[in-house]
Amino acid sequence: MNKANKSRQHWREKLTPEQYRITREKGTEAPFTGKYYHSKDSGMYRCVCCGKELFSSRAKYDSGSGWPSFFEPADEKAVATREDFSQGMHRIEVLCSHCGAHLGHVFPDGPEPTGLRYCINSEALEFRQDDPESDD
Ligand code: FE
């Protein structure tokens, strides 16, 4: 964690109450309600807190879980993981590697090539569509 892991006051002012609850208090949005669950637009999903690029739309797939799902992060250093034993379960929590925002969890039931399902709250993300004029 670095200095981007700002004070509670900073995040309270920057985020909506729901964004704060999920990213800074490890909350979960209700399934099938998130604004990016059905999105198939081409672009990059960034951390809603700090703007770091986290997941490309190229890795997004329809998991049927009720949350946006990706089979890999934008790059291997984009997210951090740690064990989570809360709520009577053993899960692997996914966090923004830059600011420590709680994003969701990763499960070993995803599609090829990784076999992983990064199950991520829409509220933790901010989507930016690819510029149709650019070549990449
Ligand atoms: Fe972040």
Side-chain angles (χ1 to χ4, degrees), residues 7-128:
S7 71
R8 277 181 199 183
Q9 186 62 29
H10 171 82
W11 296 122
R12 286 265 190 220
E13 289 169 4
K14 179 177 168 62
L15 303 171
T16 68
E18 183 70 349
Q19 288 168 346
Y20 183 91
R21 183 182 74 82
I22 288 167
T23 61
R24 312 318 307 186
E25 299 183 318
K26 305 191 186 303
T28 302
E29 70 198 14
F32 304 102
T33 64
K35 61 184 169 183
Y36 298 135
Y37 178 51
H38 292 293
S39 176
K40 291 182 165 56
D41 292 339
S42 177
M44 183 63 70
Y45 293 86
R46 296 163 179 264
C47 178
V48 76
C49 294
C50 75
K52 186 174 177 64
E53 295 187 352
L54 298 177
F55 296 97
S56 166
S57 61
R58 289 193 298 273
K60 192 172 188 291
Y61 73 102
D62 183 5
S63 68
S65 68
W67 292 275
S69 299
F70 305 85
F71 59 77
E72 67 183 0
D75 76 72
E76 61 186 18
K77 293 197 175 81
V79 301
T81 56
R82 69 176 170 215
E83 291 196 277
D84 174 10
F85 291 96
S86 68
Q87 303 188 20
M89 293 179 272
H90 178 207
R91 295 176 293 172
I92 307 298
E93 181 186 5
V94 181
L95 307 104
C96 172
S97 64
H98 186 62
C99 77
H102 171 79
L103 305 173
H105 293 86
V106 58
F107 302 93
D109 59 9
E112 295 301 324
T114 61
L116 296 174
R117 170 171 58 102
Y118 288 83
C119 190
I120 305 299
N121 291 287
S122 293
E123 290 285 339
L125 301 173
E126 188 165 83
F127 179 70
R128 193 172 302 172

